[in-house]
Amino acid sequence: MAYPLENHFRKPVELCSSLIALAAAGALWVHPGLFLVTPLTGGSATVALSLLAGLRGKQAWALLRFQRNLRQLHDYRLLPEEVPWSRSEVFLGKGFRWTALHTQRLYQARLPENRHLLARGPLYERARELERAWPDGWISEVTRRQVWWNPVAPLPNFGGAAELHGIEPDERDIWFDVGERVGHMAVLGTTRVGKTRLCELLVCQDIRRGDVVIVFDPKGDVDLLLRMYAESRRSGREREFTFFHLGYPDKSARYSPIGTFSRITEVATRIAGNLPDEGQSAAFRDFVWRFVNVMARAMTALGMRPTYALIYQNAVNIDGLALEYLEFWLDRDHAGWRDALPECGKDIAERAKKTGRSLYMVQMLSLMQEKSWHEPVADGLASVLNNDRTYFEKLVSSLYPLLEKLTSGKMAELLSPDYDDPNDERPVFDWNRVIDRGGIVYVGLDALSDFEVASVVGSAMFADLTSTAGRIYKYGHAYGQAVAGGKRKVSIHADEFNEVVGDEFIPLVNKAGGADFQVTAYTQTSADLEAKVGSRAKAEQIFGNFNTVVMLRVKYPATAKILTDQLPMVEVKSLTPASSATDAVRRGEGTEFTAQTHDKIAVREVPMLQPADLMQLPKGQAFALIDGGRLVKLRLPVIVGEGLRGVPGLDDVVADMRQKYALHARQIDAANPTGDGKGPTLRLLCEEPGEQFEDDRQVAAQRGGSETISTCQPGLTTRGRGSDF
């Protein structure tokens, strides 16, 4: 029967009628003679009462299950081999489609009269008070027990409002069409709520589908690195795995952010794009762009591949490059030019002194002017050389600090690779090569150590990817080659992408979908992106290109509105009891007054979701807009149970990353703040079995934590306790 107002928050009155019907059926079955009925009538009545008891019991159980689910916060963990994947769909987790019915249920759940049904109701809070008062008493032992009959068992340390997911007890696996990935995906959430774990889930599926996978990790998450390599090995693609990390140049593959390009002007754009462009700085930036562009054109004409080191070397001494190019050009186009050089007279000497250039250089420039010899690159170099050296260096002074950061120490060998050095065994890669061979690349930008260098390199990489996408869009994948398997999708995952985003990111998400580039960007707030690009309009332009939005817990309403503003208004019903009494109109009829009682249903429009709802999400839970605006509520899985001690040749790097980057996470694990003092954590470690491992098991047992132990490779084991995002 359909009621105008669903109410799952009332008492389960069906249970009473079910028990009465069951008792009556039992009495009829055992003592039919007491009811003076024939055996046929008694049997029929017994069957009918049993069916009624079962029906009403089922209704009562559904109500009790719903109310119990309101108080649940479940761990959701998967072994690597259990992660679902498909070539046609993308798996996000368990959940349900959010409709107006769920908005109605959430509204009712938060009414004051239903507070006792929620996860942290008065009874739950009282149990925690008793535990604090008698931490070692028998009462605390009972209230802490994780059993089905304990309604006040401590909840996992996920925080948030459990009723956001509890209002729907029937959840299922959530998938969306893989074709939507080229519309790009944005994942937003504050720190430590599950963004990187979702990245692991998506990366695993992309690797198994055979995509080109590129992961940008500014903060250095060692578990993400190990998961990528583990999945590469599981899929038989470990030979395609490439490790690049600014913090470990000795172990990293080498890469030149300006070494490959479709147009020579891209070199200047990628370098000058990192300089300030506001106010008067814009003029200096344009001048630097022209200066770098002239140098890049001269170097490519001379057969040199532009690198940061070469650009810096020629920027501080442009005379050497200019001299080499002018001699090359004059020898090619004007044979015998040396015989026509003007003599070193007074005019040339004064000009050389004024500009700070050599006499020979001034002679060449004077010859070009006298003979009216012109060539685009030569003219550009001449315009630079005709300026006073001191004045010119002031104009391009902002370029030097930037290039010095990128060419200091071992960073120079990493970002300006010597392709002809036979003693350097570190591989050199570029995006064309990675895409052509179906590569898997981990990019560690070490933003915690030097965020400026991380930002410059990340921005240049995105610009390089955008250029590569343009090449693929025009010519197709691996043009000029016979590649088995046809075109490949390129899955780009940018964790903390506000650290590396720039103007070059806009065309990447705006136009690269046609080249089968699918970008997944992870960030904390919309304000981070706005601060990075320097414009709210640009930030909105970037977000406007993400067709799929996954939002975990956020801290600011402005960020939450990125999702909630895309949702419709829905109707919410409320029940208002009303009663009235009226004196009798006519006397003498035996009626002194009339009374009536009724319920009034009021309907009003509310947003399907409020920004506050997204600010109260537990860890590991999210709302997502998928498949063109379909809203779903999600529980995200954490992949556990398998880990690798390291990557071949990178064991010391993994150990150092775990020590430096994961120190904060380890401290959280050690403190284990779950509210009861001994709830579970999730940090997975993989070690040789031995005394230290046994000690950890004993400590976990003393604290009441649950152990998850499984083999990750011969002689190695992983251990995990609970859930920590």
Side-chain angles (χ1 to χ4, degrees), residues 433-555:
R433 190 178 309 173
V434 167
I435 294 172
D436 288 345
R437 68 183 179 88
I440 301 168
V441 184
Y442 172 87
V443 179
L445 295 175
D446 199 30
L448 295 176
S449 300
D450 193 334
F451 72 91
E452 290 188 4
V453 171
S455 178
V456 171
V457 175
S459 298
M461 282 185 162
F462 277 125
D464 195 0
L465 279 167
T466 303
S467 174
T468 304
R471 188 264 301 177
I472 294 174
Y473 191 80
K474 287 187 291 184
Y475 304 111
H477 289 256
Y479 65 95
Q481 304 178 37
V483 178
K487 64 180 183 180
R488 302 181 177 94
K489 292 185 180 297
V490 181
S491 298
I492 302 170
H493 297 263
D495 198 5
E496 305 292 345
F497 89 111
N498 55 286
E499 298 282 351
V500 295
V501 70
D503 290 345
E504 60 284 331
F505 193 83
I506 297 176
L508 182 64
V509 295
N510 191 20
K511 302 177 179 65
D516 287 322
F517 276 45
Q518 45 197 34
V519 179
T520 306
Y522 309 78
T523 190
Q524 295 187 14
T525 68
S526 58
D528 291 337
L529 183 60
E530 183 178 336
K532 179 65 177 179
V533 299
S535 167
R536 183 175 182 179
K538 285 185 179 180
E540 291 179 350
Q541 183 182 8
I542 292 174
F543 277 122
N545 285 285
F546 292 104
N547 289 346
T548 302
V549 178
V550 179
M551 191 164 292
L552 296 92
R553 184 198 302 170
V554 295
K555 295 296 292 181

Side-chain angles (χ1 to χ4, degrees), residues 218-333:
K219 63 185 180 183
D221 191 294
V222 66
D223 292 326
L224 178 58
L225 167 63
L226 295 179
R227 181 61 55 203
M228 287 183 65
Y229 182 75
E231 289 301 324
S232 301
R233 196 177 70 171
R234 179 185 298 276
S235 303
R237 302 177 62 189
E238 64 268 22
R239 294 176 62 87
E240 302 166 7
F241 183 81
T242 300
F243 173 79
F244 175 86
H245 203 295
L246 295 179
Y248 303 96
D250 291 335
K251 300 291 185 179
S252 171
R254 294 173 292 165
Y255 167 75
S256 176
I258 58 175
T260 57
F261 44 83
S262 298
R263 296 180 180 179
I264 188 61
T265 53
E266 294 176 24
V267 176
T269 301
R270 295 178 197 176
I271 294 178
N274 295 283
L275 300 177
D277 61 348
E278 299 178 355
Q280 296 181 351
S281 299
F284 290 97
R285 177 179 175 177
D286 292 341
F287 194 88
V288 168
W289 185 95
R290 181 175 181 273
F291 176 49
V292 174
N293 187 55
V294 168
M295 287 190 294
R297 294 171 68 188
M299 284 189 287
T300 53
L302 293 171
M304 294 184 283
R305 185 192 295 262
T307 64
Y308 286 135
L310 278 177
I311 293 290
Y312 188 33
Q313 174 186 330
N314 292 315
V316 296
N317 183 23
I318 188 63
D319 295 48
L321 176 64
L323 179 61
E324 185 177 357
Y325 181 80
L326 291 178
E327 287 182 339
F328 161 77
W329 165 59
L330 291 172
D331 286 339
R332 184 190 66 191
D333 294 350

Side-chain angles (χ1 to χ4, degrees), residues 3 15 65 77 149 221 270 298 325 331 360 382 401 411 435 457 520 548 581 658 706:
Y3 293 95
L15 191 60
R65 177 170 171 259
R77 294 185 274 178
W149 50 260
D221 191 294
R270 295 178 197 176
Y325 181 80
D331 286 339
Y360 181 53
M411 192 71 70
I435 294 172
V457 175
T520 306
T548 302
R658 197 177 288 283
S706 59

Side-chain angles (χ1 to χ4, degrees), residues 184-202:
H184 312 305
M185 176 189 295
V187 180
L188 297 102
T190 189
T191 182
R192 306 292 295 177
V193 296
K195 295 193 302 296
T196 306
R197 303 290 77 82
L198 175 59
C199 179
E200 286 185 22
L201 177 68
L202 297 176

Side-chain angles (χ1 to χ4, degrees), residues 14 155 187 262 351 470 566 582 658:
E14 296 90 346
L155 296 172
V187 180
S262 298
R351 184 177 174 184
Q566 301 182 54
T582 307
R658 197 177 288 283

